[in-house]
Amino acid sequence: MKPRKLNSGEGFLPVLFVGPGLFFYTLLTLIPLVLTFGASLTEWEGFRFSDMEFIGLGNYMELVQDEIFIKSLINNIYLIFVCAVFAVLLGFILAVMLEFGLPFSRFIRGVYFIPSVMSMIVIGIIFTLIFSPDLGLINPFLKAIGLEKFAGVWLGDPEKALNIVAAAEVWRTFGFNMFLFIAGLKNVQNEQLESAILDGAGKLKTIWHIVIPSIRNTFIVVSSLAIINALKLFDFIYVMTFGGPNNATQVMTTYLYFQGFSWNNVGYSSAIGIMLVLIIFIFSVAYLKISGGFRSED
């Protein structure tokens, strides 16, 4: 059977639908990305275009020797690991519990989802107050139960600050992950679950052999978002620690901000931004390759 030829009006219809989105994507994403890459090849303070000095890959050569940038990259990788493991697993476990009979599930869903819709600035302020050595809740609680020796400065301790930041990100995102998993669990066939129960499979085996394979694509989406969010963290790190103490919580986004807006090294901060985009792309592609990409869940 010969394929039907499209009329001129029918050929224009897809363009009509795709065109606006493509226009704004080009205007707001592609063009700024190209301009940022161009700025990364210069030494520029960001005030006058006439002061731009082309230095080629000089900023990138300096990045690989910059100890603070290397430290910020390591911190980002640590946050990726923590968020991709704890926030994703916690969201999945809670989704399974809520979807399969946990009492008061509707109330609990609302409570767990609240952090996901809160401002990251507010979250940063909340955690700063909680861990404040003078005004916070942690030190007085430890003193009240006789564990005063464990009290400390918390966010002022280089060995603890990054873990607190990671805990804040897990707390912020696990509720959103939970809702994505709940949506994915709707695709699990009841017939499969009933067959597993009749065959005598326990809950853990049912989850491992039926539930998880059925929501494989959901796992890929949630994990990818966790990785990207961990690389984009800025707001509450800036509020909680300002990248300190001693760069212990410095990440690429905060270092980019300080270079560009505090120290007027726009060319260098642009190079950090391009590296961040490149790293997000590499992590995303690598994860999709390792996981095998999206497959039909039918």
Side-chain angles (χ1 to χ4, degrees):
M1 183 177 178
K2 294 182 179 181
R4 185 175 65 89
K5 293 184 179 181
L6 293 176
N7 297 325
S8 58
E10 292 177 328
F12 177 74
L13 191 61
V15 177
L16 183 64
F17 283 108
V18 176
L22 183 61
F23 170 77
F24 285 108
Y25 179 77
T26 302
L27 180 66
L28 302 177
T29 302
L30 292 182
I31 293 177
L33 185 62
V34 172
L35 294 177
T36 300
F37 177 72
S40 72
L41 303 177
T42 68
E43 184 175 337
W44 184 39
E45 294 183 352
F47 296 112
R48 293 179 299 181
F49 290 108
S50 59
D51 294 336
M52 273 187 172
E53 180 183 350
F54 180 78
I55 58 173
L57 299 177
N59 288 323
Y60 295 95
M61 298 297 293
E62 186 177 348
L63 275 180
V64 298
Q65 303 175 17
D66 188 340
E67 294 182 359
I68 300 178
F69 175 76
I70 300 300
K71 175 67 174 176
S72 68
L73 176 59
I74 293 172
N75 288 342
N76 270 121
I77 293 174
Y78 174 78
L79 291 172
I80 287 173
F81 174 78
V82 172
C83 296
V85 173
F86 291 99
V88 173
L89 285 181
L90 183 58
F92 172 71
I93 292 170
L94 288 172
V96 171
M97 293 174 65
L98 293 173
E99 192 67 10
F100 297 113
L102 188 69
F104 307 106
S105 60
R106 290 187 178 180
F107 172 75
I108 294 174
R109 289 180 192 186
V111 172
Y112 288 160
F113 191 67
I114 289 175
S116 302
V117 297
M118 291 177 63
S119 166
M120 295 182 71
I121 300 296
V122 173
I123 293 174
I125 294 173
I126 290 174
F127 273 83
T128 300
L129 292 175
I130 290 175
F131 288 96
S132 171
D134 300 319
L135 304 174
L137 302 176
I138 303 298
N139 285 350
F141 174 75
L142 292 174
K143 293 176 183 178
I145 62 176
L147 298 176
E148 185 176 354
K149 63 179 180 179
F150 293 106
V153 292
W154 302 107
L155 290 173
D157 187 339
E159 296 182 357
K160 299 176 181 177
L162 187 61
N163 290 324
I164 296 173
V165 168
E169 174 64 3
V170 170
W171 181 80
R172 184 185 73 87
T173 57
F174 83 91
F176 179 71
N177 295 340
M178 177 193 71
F179 266 81
L180 291 179
F181 279 122
I182 288 175
L185 288 171
K186 301 298 182 182
N187 295 324
V188 179
Q189 300 295 325
N190 291 330
E191 293 80 4
Q192 292 179 307
L193 297 176
E194 292 172 357
S195 298
I197 293 173
L198 291 174
D199 291 339
K203 291 184 178 180
L204 291 179
K205 286 186 177 180
T206 302
I207 292 172
W208 182 258
H209 292 288
I210 295 178
V211 174
I212 292 179
S214 299
I215 60 170
R216 182 177 178 278
N217 288 349
T218 305
F219 263 104
I220 294 175
V221 170
V222 174
S223 301
S224 299
L225 289 175
I227 291 172
I228 294 172
N229 287 333
L231 284 168
K232 294 182 353 182
L233 278 181
F234 172 78
D235 308 61
F236 64 74
I237 294 180
Y238 184 83
V239 172
M240 290 169 62
T241 64
F242 214 60
N246 195 26
N247 295 311
T249 60
Q250 195 79 262
V251 292
M252 284 186 287
T253 52
T254 55
Y255 193 43
L256 181 156
Y257 174 84
F258 293 137
Q259 286 287 347
F261 294 95
S262 297
W263 306 326
N264 296 327
N265 295 329
V266 175
Y268 195 65
S269 68
S270 298
I272 298 173
I274 294 297
M275 290 296 294
L276 178 59
V277 171
L278 182 61
I279 290 170
I280 290 175
F281 176 78
I282 291 173
F283 264 99
S284 300
V285 171
Y287 181 78
L288 289 175
K289 287 289 185 181
I290 293 171
S291 63
F294 293 97
R295 295 176 185 172
S296 174
E297 294 180 350
D298 296 333

